[in-house]
Amino acid sequence: MTTADSPFAADSSAPAEALPAGPWAQRWERIEAWLDRLGDRMNPILVKEARQAMKSRQFVITFSMLLIFGWLYTLAFIGFSMPGLYYAPLGPAMLLGYYLILTIPLLIVVPYAAFRSLASEREDGTFELLSITTLSARQIVTGKLGSAVLQMLVYYSALAPCIAFTYLLRGIDVVTIALFLAYTFLASFMLCVLGLTLATVTRARHWQVVLSVVYVGALLGFALIWDMAMLGMLARGEPMPYDDPDFWVANVALLCFYASFVALFLLIAAGQLTFASENRSTKIRIVLLVQQALLVGWYSFPLLESWHRNSIFREESLMFGYAMVGAFWALAGAFLTGEGAKLSPRAMRQLPQSLLGRMAFTWFNPGSGTGYVFTMLNLGAVGLVLIGFTVASDLWYGGGLKPAPWAMTIWGYVAFYLGLTRLAVQWIRRYTTVSLLAVFLCHFSVVCLAVAVPLILQAFISWGDMSTFDYSVLQMPNWSWTLYELSDNSPGPGAPVGLAVFAAGVLMFLVNLAVASREVENVRQATPKRVIEDERELHPQPEERKVALSPWDK
Amino acid sequence: MIASHPMIELRRLHRYFGATRAVHDISFHVERGQVFGYIGPNGAGKTTSMRILATLELPSFGDAYVDGFSVVNDPDRVRRRLGFMPDYFGTYADVNCVEYLDFFARSYGLVGRERHQALKHTMAFTKLDQLAEKPIRGLSKGMKQRLCLGRAMIHDPAVLILDEPANGLDPRARIELREMIGELAAAGKAILVSSHILTELGEMCDRVAIIERGRLLATGSVEEIHNQQTPHREVQVRILGEMTPATQWLAAREDVKDIVVEGQLLRFSHQGDREAEVALLREMVLAGLSVAEFGSHSKSLEDVFMAVTRGAVQ
């Protein structure tokens, strides 16, 4: 990379700078050199953001206010609680105030600063300068997130002595304090992740302003609800069920989902910032698959437990679970089917080559058709598990087969509406470009129209006579009413309509599968010679060890 | 090893924004150590093609290569070899000059001694060492421009793309910038530079490309383009003594037209290049004409630009 006569070529002949004579100065030099090396290993965005944030007016004001309010509250609380402070357990009451003071920077200021930090890079044009460096989009997003975490830790540290003081006042245990702080940290972290994702949605300044207002409103609303819930728990004074293993199982389950959503949103944010010819989809699909596995895994836990205890599970819980999975994949599918059908040559360099690899991993490749098939296969796989579980349970306990047609109907609806809109979008894309967001809005409109149009038609038919306003075959496109009928198990055409929906879904899936065949036909492209040469230069392979072919070869 | 490929190459590059053809079928190349001027009126497509080269935009059709790597398929490899100075500053608040350059050095993966060395050289090269600790918001336009050049070259790229680097600079700063660009080219870097100040470009560029309404109108050295556009050169000759024989002698030649006599001066247009002019002078002397002065008017980049472009906008 370096040009021949470059002044940048490392000057090895230059004498090293003489160290200062004093032992303390030498130690300090060594520490500084160590810190410098540590800084080299850190994300450059984090280093820059930390430098900037600590100098910024926003940080200075927030930190000062936090300290001032913390001290004022301490003095006021002690003043008003005297002399009860000596004998009454006032820890929870005092923690209430500190918690409230802490959540304002954690749940509002830091997430908004993270949002603005990325949004302003895009508004001011500095993002373009960043994007042409060797930093990856993931590094940019995680660097911003790291800076937000650093600020959070600074704010925590400011009130840490005060919070420790509440424990000394008795009435509250260390685990409760730790859990409250941890939950708040996780909430703040997730809000930062969402803020960063939101900042990547649009580049247009006017939309950034709209998003900014919406995000601030959402943060205020969330902070209010969160504080009310957490302060309510604190004020009740009841200890958390630490002795109950289910409490910790639920915490671990929630943490798993939390981590998966953090990963998903970070990948979405990084994908939005990544250069268009990169593969931005495969990693997101992997996370979606992991989320599905987590959902099935954690949902199976109570079901298997009930089976183990020989108690019949509630089929409604299975149906609710599948409805959640259906909604999850419908939402994911609405985005995945919006991807372009053409793979960039760069993405094609990494396509699987073997038959097995192509069969299993082709659906992870970017593309509208692969996205549709990926969505439906995943939803179908969970449906099959559910049907298997239902049938087995029916055989053992006679639990009923109600969840099976329910699952088939949901699959049918998702397959039909996603497939229909996908085909329509593919047709429109022959004439004009359709963005990912526009495709999502198309899906959303179709799903809404599917409910509204049959209802309006039925209203016209039964004009003036509401007694005839019952579920009928006309409502077949209306997924909402049909599913309600199926769940209610009421007599009527609900069950046959469900089967018809499933059949229509299968048909639509087959049509889309045929249309998506072009995306499946993509094969791996050879890496250009120049890239291979560069790769060898960047990562030179160690010389092959010479194998001695005779006693004289050494 | 000397690369066999050009350092910058545009191959049938197209970029459309709806019905607007911002860049339409543009091809040219820049070799190592060359300063290549990219000129055209506002909205001609210069910035768009530079942004494509800088991996900020994708072409609608065609491709561009930096050191043999496609900007579409290998943007990461292109970025390691490329320094881009856009027509805006792109600076951060609450950051001083050295922190700004240090951040970009880290962003380009420079660590330890290499980073310190790069910072030291860049600060010295751009003459910003005295202002290292000064906040960016307090810098003058010329200093900010230097800082931006420093940012573009901090990772010692083999290719530099400079979009209007002299825009808004005072004459002194412009001359200093021109000198810096010359030094960088002498160090072996391929430089693509756009500017509205054509006299500046004319002096520093080895070759130029003229673009209008997204189309490439001409490419080559100023001389070559001029010859392509106008094969005639304006020649002025001062004759001592009688003018009639000289006028008659010239009028008899096929390569001479539009003879104008102004006292002892003869003006005419001559078809041919510099060598043909030398031959003409030799023949005039051999024919016994008393030639006291012989000169031809060399067209500047501005003349060439005006001759090539039509001032059309889209």
Side-chain angles (χ1 to χ4, degrees):
Chain A
M1 177 169 82
T2 307
T3 43
D5 306 323
S6 167
F8 292 84
D11 185 6
S12 55
S13 63
E17 284 177 30
L19 286 172
W24 280 107
Q26 280 186 19
R27 270 177 216 152
W28 179 242
E29 285 276 336
R30 257 184 248 125
I31 291 168
E32 207 178 345
W34 182 81
L35 287 173
D36 200 41
R37 280 199 297 278
L38 186 73
D40 281 341
R41 288 171 183 272
M42 282 186 168
N43 186 324
I45 300 277
L46 177 61
V47 176
K48 190 265 292 179
E49 292 278 321
R51 278 174 176 163
Q52 246 184 312
M54 301 302 162
K55 279 193 239 173
S56 74
R57 198 178 297 166
Q58 170 254 313
F59 175 78
V60 172
I61 292 173
T62 313
F63 190 76
S64 311
M65 298 290 272
L66 191 69
L67 284 179
I68 291 166
F69 277 106
W71 292 336
L72 286 178
Y73 176 73
T74 308
L75 293 174
F77 188 88
I78 291 170
F80 286 115
S81 306
M82 283 297 188
L85 197 70
Y86 290 113
Y87 46 83
L90 291 176
M94 194 166 196
L95 186 63
L96 278 173
Y98 290 136
Y99 189 76
L100 198 65
I101 293 168
L102 191 62
T103 52
I104 291 167
L106 287 183
L107 298 182
I108 299 168
V109 178
V110 175
Y112 185 69
F115 167 80
R116 281 303 307 157
S117 162
L118 191 53
S120 62
E121 294 263 16
R122 285 162 77 91
E123 283 169 16
D124 301 342
T126 46
F127 178 74
E128 292 199 334
L129 303 177
L130 277 186
S131 65
I132 57 168
T133 64
T134 49
L135 285 177
S136 65
R138 185 184 54 79
Q139 277 178 298
I140 294 172
V141 176
T142 52
K144 298 274 179 194
L145 192 60
S147 162
V149 170
L150 194 69
Q151 287 185 55
M152 279 185 230
L153 294 177
V154 172
Y155 294 140
Y156 267 119
S157 69
L159 279 194
C162 301
I163 291 169
F165 182 55
T166 61
Y167 173 69
L168 299 176
L169 290 179
R170 289 166 290 122
I172 192 157
D173 55 301
V174 177
V175 183
T176 305
I177 293 173
L179 271 179
F180 266 71
L181 296 181
Y183 288 148
T184 313
F185 177 84
L186 292 175
S188 177
F189 188 81
M190 181 55 101
L191 289 173
C192 291
V193 171
L194 289 173
L196 288 170
T197 310
L198 212 58
T200 63
V201 170
T202 177
R203 286 184 195 186
R205 192 177 284 262
H206 58 281
W207 281 116
Q208 285 283 7
V209 173
V210 172
L211 277 179
S212 186
V213 173
V214 169
Y215 188 54
V216 168
L219 286 177
L220 287 170
F222 179 83
L224 188 71
I225 294 167
W226 180 270
D227 277 346
M228 280 165 66
M230 299 302 261
L231 296 181
M233 280 167 71
L234 264 181
R236 260 206 318 256
E238 289 171 13
M240 288 192 188
Y242 304 128
D243 299 334
D244 185 0
D246 285 348
F247 171 77
W248 295 107
V249 169
N251 269 290
V252 174
L254 285 174
L255 203 61
C256 286
F257 284 110
Y258 177 90
S260 76
F261 275 102
V262 165
L264 180 68
F265 285 119
L266 285 180
L267 282 173
I268 291 171
Q272 291 279 96
L273 302 178
T274 304
F275 195 55
S277 67
E278 300 268 2
N279 178 355
R280 297 182 279 188
S281 188
T282 299
K283 282 180 186 167
I284 290 177
R285 291 183 193 199
I286 291 169
V287 172
L288 289 174
L289 195 66
V290 169
Q291 283 187 318
Q292 156 135 314
L294 282 172
L295 191 68
V296 172
W298 284 109
Y299 213 81
S300 307
F301 184 76
L303 288 177
L304 291 173
E305 201 180 41
S306 67
W307 205 349
H308 182 67
R309 286 177 190 159
N310 281 344
S311 59
I312 298 167
F313 64 88
R314 288 174 63 116
E315 58 190 10
E316 282 77 16
S317 69
L318 272 183
M319 290 160 70
F320 174 73
Y322 196 72
M324 273 172 58
V325 176
F328 173 79
W329 280 112
L331 193 67
F335 283 105
L336 293 179
T337 54
E339 291 177 359
K342 205 177 168 192
L343 267 186
S344 69
R346 181 179 172 83
M348 284 166 81
R349 285 181 203 159
Q350 282 138 16
L351 291 182
Q353 278 182 303
S354 67
L355 180 70
L356 200 64
R358 283 172 63 81
M359 278 172 67
F361 300 117
T362 294
W363 314 113
F364 288 88
N365 293 340
S368 164
T370 56
Y372 176 77
V373 176
F374 178 78
T375 302
M376 295 325 303
L377 287 181
N378 276 295
L379 188 57
V382 183
L384 284 176
V385 171
L386 180 131
I387 290 168
F389 195 84
T390 309
V391 170
S393 182
D394 186 52
L395 287 174
W396 262 272
Y397 307 109
L401 291 167
K402 209 167 103 182
W406 167 265
M408 287 162 71
T409 312
I410 287 180
W411 189 91
Y413 272 125
V414 176
F416 187 81
Y417 286 126
L418 273 184
L420 183 73
T421 315
R422 191 187 96 79
L423 291 178
V425 169
Q426 291 297 98
W427 182 74
I428 297 168
R429 275 185 172 161
R430 286 181 179 182
Y431 305 100
T432 184
T433 50
V434 186
S435 70
L436 197 69
L437 192 65
V439 177
F440 177 78
L441 291 175
C442 286
H443 281 295
F444 185 71
S445 309
V446 166
V447 165
C448 292
L449 285 173
V451 174
V453 172
L455 282 177
I456 293 166
L457 281 176
Q458 183 127 353
F460 272 113
I461 290 166
S462 54
W463 193 259
D465 182 12
M466 289 308 287
S467 62
T468 58
F469 202 87
D470 289 327
Y471 184 81
S472 67
V473 183
L474 185 68
Q475 296 300 323
M476 195 167 101
N478 185 344
W479 52 273
S480 163
W481 200 349
T482 305
L483 289 176
Y484 174 75
E485 285 291 311
L486 281 173
S487 68
D488 203 31
N489 227 2
S490 51
V497 163
L499 276 177
V501 167
F502 178 68
V506 171
L507 195 68
M508 185 59 79
F509 177 74
L510 292 174
V511 171
N512 272 275
L513 193 64
V515 175
S517 61
R518 277 186 201 163
E519 290 176 33
V520 181
E521 285 168 3
N522 285 322
V523 287
R524 182 181 282 199
Q525 275 198 357
T527 308
K529 198 178 153 196
R530 181 80 183 96
V531 175
I532 296 169
E533 283 170 10
D534 188 53
E535 201 53 37
R536 278 200 200 121
E537 262 179 53
L538 279 176
H539 309 289
Q541 297 293 316
E543 274 186 41
E544 281 180 33
R545 191 191 292 172
K546 285 180 185 171
V547 180
L549 298 173
S550 73
W552 295 274
D553 288 341
K554 279 194 177 177
Chain B
M1 192 177 73
I2 302 295
S4 57
H5 42 258
M7 293 309 287
I8 300 173
E9 189 180 8
L10 272 67
R11 280 190 211 160
R12 305 209 61 195
L13 199 72
H14 294 69
R15 181 70 171 108
Y16 300 154
F17 296 104
T20 309
R21 294 173 169 188
V23 176
H24 183 76
D25 200 7
I26 286 191
S27 304
F28 63 79
H29 61 89
V30 184
E31 300 293 341
R32 188 182 289 269
Q34 262 189 358
V35 181
F36 192 92
Y38 203 31
I39 55 177
N42 286 333
K46 303 185 297 289
T47 299
T48 305
S49 24
M50 285 181 149
R51 285 172 61 82
I52 291 172
L53 267 171
T55 71
L56 287 171
E57 270 182 46
L58 276 175
S60 307
F61 180 74
D63 207 341
Y65 296 84
V66 170
D67 197 11
F69 295 104
S70 157
V71 297
V72 178
N73 296 321
D74 297 294
D76 45 344
R77 290 171 207 277
V78 168
R79 286 167 191 163
R80 286 207 314 270
R81 290 159 170 85
L82 183 118
F84 177 51
M85 184 176 164
D87 55 354
Y88 54 85
F89 293 124
T91 50
Y92 293 104
D94 303 315
V95 169
N96 64 33
C97 293
V98 74
E99 284 173 347
Y100 183 74
L101 290 177
D102 178 74
F103 165 60
F104 278 97
R106 287 172 193 269
S107 300
Y108 278 107
L110 302 182
V111 290
R113 194 184 170 87
E114 198 185 8
R115 179 165 54 83
H116 290 297
Q117 198 90 0
L119 272 175
K120 204 171 127 190
H121 279 295
T122 306
M123 299 291 280
F125 184 81
T126 52
K127 299 186 178 71
L128 283 168
D129 11 24
Q130 302 298 317
L131 306 169
E133 302 293 330
K134 190 168 180 176
I136 294 176
R137 62 169 175 264
L139 293 181
S140 68
K141 197 166 186 181
M143 286 299 148
K144 274 188 184 168
Q145 206 73 322
R146 279 164 185 266
L147 186 68
C148 291
L149 179 65
R151 184 202 59 228
M153 55 175 276
I154 189 81
H155 58 301
D156 191 22
V159 171
L160 276 169
I161 294 175
L162 314 175
D163 193 5
E164 305 283 352
N167 203 8
L169 297 187
D170 61 45
R172 186 179 185 80
R174 279 214 298 262
I175 291 165
E176 285 173 352
L177 184 76
R178 196 172 68 203
E179 284 169 2
M180 280 190 239
I181 291 174
E183 279 180 49
L184 289 168
K189 297 183 193 306
I191 300 171
L192 178 67
V193 56
S194 77
S195 178
H196 284 130
I197 305 154
L198 300 181
T199 44
E200 295 282 326
L201 277 185
E203 284 173 39
M204 73 169 105
C205 294
D206 303 301
R207 290 169 68 223
V208 295
I210 300 175
I211 177 176
E212 189 175 41
R213 293 181 68 184
R215 289 168 191 273
L216 193 67
L217 301 180
T219 178
S221 66
V222 176
E223 187 80 16
E224 283 166 1
I225 296 174
H226 176 230
N227 287 342
Q228 282 167 18
Q229 296 300 316
T230 50
H232 298 275
R233 297 173 75 89
E234 297 299 316
V235 180
Q236 183 175 290
V237 181
R238 184 178 294 277
I239 302 287
L240 294 180
E242 192 63 41
M243 294 295 284
T244 316
T247 314
Q248 284 171 349
W249 188 87
L250 284 169
R253 291 181 66 96
E254 281 186 1
D255 56 349
V256 173
K257 282 178 186 168
D258 310 326
I259 303 166
V260 178
V261 182
E262 287 175 8
Q264 291 303 112
L265 267 182
L266 273 172
R267 289 183 204 277
F268 55 89
S269 79
H270 176 242
Q271 191 171 10
D273 54 11
R274 291 252 181 220
E275 285 180 14
E277 272 176 36
V278 174
L280 175 69
L281 173 61
R282 192 186 305 124
E283 285 174 37
M284 284 177 85
V285 173
L286 289 173
L289 301 174
S290 307
V291 180
E293 267 179 43
F294 186 99
S296 68
H297 172 62
S298 182
K299 296 260 183 181
S300 68
L301 184 56
E302 276 179 18
D303 298 326
V304 171
F305 180 73
M306 291 309 287
V308 172
T309 59
R310 287 172 179 78
V313 287
Q314 55 180 349

